[in-house]
Amino acid sequence: MKEINDLILPEEVLYADDHEWARMEDGIVTIGVSDYAQDQLGDIVYVELPDIDDVYEKGEEFGSIESVKAVSEMYMPVGGKVVEINSDLENSPELINQSPYDDGWIIKVLPDDENELDDLLEKDAYIAMLKGSE
Amino acid sequence: MSKKTLLNSWHRSEGANMAAFGGYDMPLWYPSGAKQEHLSVINNAGIFDTSHMALLTVKGAHSRDLLQFCFTKDLDHCIGKKKTPLVEGRCAYGAFLNEKGEVLDDAIVYFIENETYALVVNANMGSIISAHLKRCSKSYPEVDIQDLTDKIGKIDVQGPNAALFLAPHLSDPESIFTHMPYFSFKGTFDSNSHRTGEVRFRDNTPILVSRTGYTGEFGFELFMDSDHLIHVWHTLVNEGRKKGLLCCGLAARDSLRTGAVLPLSHQDIGPWPFINHPWHHALPFDESQTGFTKSFMGDEALQQSRNSVYVYAFVGFDLRKISSDRSSHVFDSAGNDIGTVSTCVTDMAIDRHEEKIYSIASPDKPEGFRAKGLSCGFVRLTKPQEYGTILELKDGKRSIKVMITEDVRPYRTARKSVKEMLTL
């Protein structure tokens, strides 16, 4: 288990309370799960992805990731329409363990309301939350 | 506050993901991950700290009589196809039941030497089983029961190359590994026994080496005085790592044992009659498979509760699993709720190919075979089922189809001879 200080937590993404991350680029939000989440879950063996064009509200469940330990739901950090899914995860779900912020991204979303990103946590606030839940 | 094995700080310093199990703070997996750990035990070998398990000794003129009354296996009819008596150097798997035929715990009984037996029971069960035996021993005078859990360390080395990893560290591996069938052992952890000289670690530490384990694969369980545990662990791990020996946590142990159709006590066996389940070898059935060859605590209750609870192994059609808590239920093809799920894990070394299940170790696996894994586990049902029956398992979120089965992971190596495994 990684110590909090050993977690990879990039500055340029925002974090949700339930450990998804979101990165805004050119009007599209890329979503994944944090290094903390993948470390806690252990080996990811299966990812249930939504379909392209599915629309979800902020906080709604959009898929699940299955690790050796359990099946965990993923929730939308922002509401919007799914415009791309990471289909590499179908055959290589371990990309989430190996590269949670790059090759292991999960979906890309056209957000309904960019202001919803404001509710997410920056790195320091996320670390503080992790420390509080220890 | 969880108890710790002597290797706890080592596990933490290695970055293991820790969790409470059986009252102990134990590694679930190391940074290599549970999947690699599981596969390593199928392909090569893995090493497990199993010092959380409890060890009792039962000594005295009536020790065997006490065990014959309390333990489900008939110690006078249990070895091999001919069911010969348990002799020194052999061990047997069974369970301790209460008067209602319900499982208190499962155990392996080792016949150490004249009037001396050792019992390995589950974590935190030492005091409970020891108290149970003491209560029963009133009819069997002069039996001495000791709980040595905190004095004895235990390490499991499991996998096809287990003997290769162990051999360089034993004083005389050739003689130790000669005539060492499944469920036999040599040596002892007790320095005051006539067995003491049989097996020594290279540094002279007396150890008990047993051809057992709980993974379904070839391998050994090592018992030693806890003073020697850390040293023996370091030696085996540091040398073994050079050839790919992987430290394994409880997650891999759980998925390996489930694929091998071995129960987890207090989960797949527990406070219900121990009668309709895949582990009939743990009961003293006579040739008719209806009566018992001995009388023992709980036997009458078992005969009277033949229509109660039915435990079966199942295997799924892909790797997806459901949670195995109380929210999970089992449904038959007519949609009737017929029971609950006690274990549901993924055996990552197996997969289906044209209806048949292969392991990555199967010699007859199809060309290019790649195992993604299959869900497997145990269900506790209110009705008997035929093997091959398809049932649906549902938790609050997901449903999966599974098949009732007699066996799960093919081509397991647990029963192979040491000679065969050393010449691979």
Side-chain angles (χ1 to χ4, degrees):
Chain A
M1 207 158 17
K2 289 186 180 179
E3 299 292 331
I4 288 178
N5 292 338
D6 297 334
L7 292 170
I8 302 165
L9 299 170
E11 305 270 0
E12 71 274 13
V13 306
L14 295 166
Y15 301 89
D17 289 357
D18 35 41
H19 311 295
E20 291 82 12
W21 57 259
R23 184 171 53 217
M24 181 76 160
E25 277 168 312
D26 303 328
I28 298 294
V29 180
T30 304
I31 294 168
V33 298
S34 74
D35 192 33
Y36 174 82
Q38 73 76 23
D39 184 56
Q40 290 286 318
L41 290 168
D43 288 337
I44 311 285
V45 294
Y46 185 79
V47 185
E48 220 153 34
L49 296 166
D51 291 323
I52 289 174
D53 290 340
D54 282 357
V55 177
Y56 297 95
E57 287 180 21
K58 179 183 169 75
E60 203 178 342
E61 181 183 331
F62 70 89
S64 64
I65 47 179
E66 178 159 357
S67 72
V68 290
K69 194 156 107 179
V71 183
S72 310
E73 290 68 43
M74 294 181 289
Y75 303 97
M76 294 290 271
V78 291
K81 185 169 85 168
V82 178
V83 293
E84 203 177 334
I85 57 173
N86 185 355
S87 47
D88 289 346
L89 297 177
E90 280 171 30
N91 283 321
S92 304
E94 67 277 7
L95 289 173
I96 294 176
N97 296 115
Q98 293 161 359
S99 175
Y101 304 100
D102 295 305
D103 297 342
W105 66 274
I106 295 167
I107 56 171
K108 293 187 183 186
V109 169
L110 178 68
D112 291 334
D113 177 1
E114 289 182 18
N115 292 327
E116 285 180 352
L117 287 165
D118 297 344
D119 302 338
L120 300 176
L121 306 171
E122 293 192 351
K123 177 183 175 174
D124 289 345
Y126 183 59
I127 290 175
M129 188 200 82
L130 293 177
K131 284 186 174 163
S133 65
E134 265 189 315
Chain B
M1 184 73 184
S2 289
K3 288 190 219 167
K4 292 173 179 172
T5 76
L6 294 172
L7 289 163
N8 188 274
S9 56
W10 188 90
H11 300 316
R12 287 187 171 272
S13 71
E14 289 287 312
N17 190 310
M18 307 292 287
F21 177 82
Y24 282 78
D25 181 49
M26 295 297 289
L28 281 182
W29 56 76
Y30 298 86
S32 47
K35 183 176 179 180
Q36 285 313 313
E37 293 169 18
H38 179 108
L39 297 177
S40 173
V41 173
I42 308 287
N43 278 329
N44 187 12
I47 183 166
F48 302 75
D49 172 18
T50 50
S51 302
H52 61 305
M53 297 191 73
L55 188 133
L56 310 179
T57 55
V58 179
K59 295 184 183 182
H62 293 285
S63 50
R64 193 175 182 107
D65 299 330
L66 171 66
L67 291 171
Q68 278 293 63
F69 177 62
C70 290
F71 193 54
T72 56
K73 197 94 159 186
D74 184 347
L75 301 182
D76 291 333
H77 301 89
C78 65
I79 302 290
K81 286 188 180 132
K82 291 183 179 164
K83 300 225 168 187
T84 55
L86 188 75
V87 291
E88 290 183 19
R90 299 300 291 255
C91 48
Y93 174 81
F96 292 103
L97 309 181
N98 62 18
E99 292 87 346
K100 292 188 266 182
E102 301 168 342
V103 176
L104 299 172
D105 204 13
D106 61 352
I108 293 181
V109 167
Y110 293 80
F111 188 4
I112 303 284
E113 59 195 345
N114 186 30
E115 298 179 356
T116 299
Y117 294 80
L119 324 179
V120 177
V121 294
N122 285 283
N124 246 353
M125 292 303 293
S127 57
I128 293 166
I129 297 301
S130 138
H132 172 69
L133 290 173
K134 280 175 187 164
R135 273 197 303 278
C136 298
S137 70
K138 284 174 187 152
S139 328
Y140 303 97
E142 295 166 50
V143 177
D144 175 53
I145 297 152
Q146 297 290 332
D147 183 350
L148 301 185
T149 305
D150 295 333
K151 296 182 178 137
I152 301 299
K154 179 169 174 287
I155 295 169
D156 294 9
V157 184
Q158 300 277 296
N161 290 332
L164 291 170
F165 283 110
L166 198 52
H169 306 292
L170 299 176
S171 48
D172 184 3
E174 205 169 314
S175 72
I176 292 164
F177 288 151
T178 303
H179 302 303
M180 200 184 193
Y182 191 43
F183 271 76
S184 73
F185 66 95
K186 291 185 181 175
T188 178
F189 41 80
D190 178 357
S191 49
N192 300 316
S193 160
H194 80 79
R195 300 197 79 95
T196 310
E198 278 181 8
V199 183
R200 285 183 189 278
F201 212 62
R202 225 171 22 186
D203 67 349
N204 233 15
T205 304
I207 58 173
L208 186 155
V209 177
S210 171
R211 264 296 312 278
T212 49
Y214 219 60
T215 61
E217 300 305 323
F218 176 81
F220 303 90
E221 294 183 280
L222 315 178
F223 300 79
M224 69 222 76
D225 189 293
S226 56
D227 289 346
H228 302 292
L229 177 76
I230 293 174
H231 165 71
V232 171
W233 175 269
H234 282 170
T235 307
L236 288 169
V237 169
N238 292 343
E239 286 296 311
R241 276 179 169 168
K242 295 173 189 165
K243 291 184 177 167
L245 180 71
L246 216 54
C247 297
C248 299
L250 292 181
R253 190 172 162 84
D254 197 33
S255 49
L256 287 160
R257 67 96 190 165
T258 305
V261 193
L262 300 169
L264 179 60
S265 192
H266 313 289
Q267 191 168 303
D268 305 312
I269 55 179
W272 59 89
F274 185 62
I275 184 73
N276 303 312
H277 51 69
W279 308 289
H280 274 191
H281 58 85
L283 284 168
F285 280 113
D286 61 18
E287 282 179 9
S288 71
Q289 290 295 308
T290 51
F292 296 134
T293 55
K294 69 168 183 178
S295 74
F296 58 99
M297 182 176 277
D299 59 348
E300 284 176 21
L302 290 185
Q303 294 289 18
Q304 285 160 11
S305 48
R306 286 207 166 243
N307 301 320
S308 55
V309 174
Y310 299 82
V311 175
Y312 290 97
F314 71 81
V315 61
F317 293 87
D318 60 38
L319 60 75
R320 290 176 310 140
K321 56 187 178 289
I322 61 159
S323 58
S324 45
D325 58 26
R326 285 179 189 179
S327 69
S328 300
H329 284 261
V330 185
F331 297 87
D332 65 13
S333 57
N336 302 308
D337 184 339
I338 56 166
T340 53
V341 181
S342 58
T343 289
C344 186
V345 298
T346 303
D347 186 325
M348 272 106 23
I350 58 172
D351 214 333
R352 290 176 183 269
H353 179 81
E354 294 174 356
E355 310 268 305
K356 193 177 165 192
I357 297 174
Y358 295 89
S359 154
I360 53 169
S362 298
D364 60 341
K365 67 187 173 197
E367 213 180 310
F369 174 76
R370 179 174 169 248
K372 284 188 167 179
L374 291 174
S375 60
C376 55
F378 299 101
V379 286
R380 209 156 88 210
L381 306 179
T382 51
K383 292 176 183 172
Q385 303 290 320
E386 301 276 335
Y387 294 131
T389 304
I390 308 287
L391 299 172
E392 193 169 15
L393 312 185
K394 287 184 189 174
D395 60 16
K397 302 151 198 159
R398 179 183 267 186
S399 97
I400 61 172
K401 287 221 165 20
V402 301
M403 183 188 280
I404 294 297
T405 187
E406 194 168 12
D407 206 357
V408 177
R409 189 171 69 248
Y411 199 73
R412 296 197 299 271
T413 52
R415 293 168 188 274
K416 302 246 175 217
S417 73
V418 183
K419 197 176 164 191
E420 188 183 340
M421 301 315 275
L422 278 172
T423 51
L424 276 178

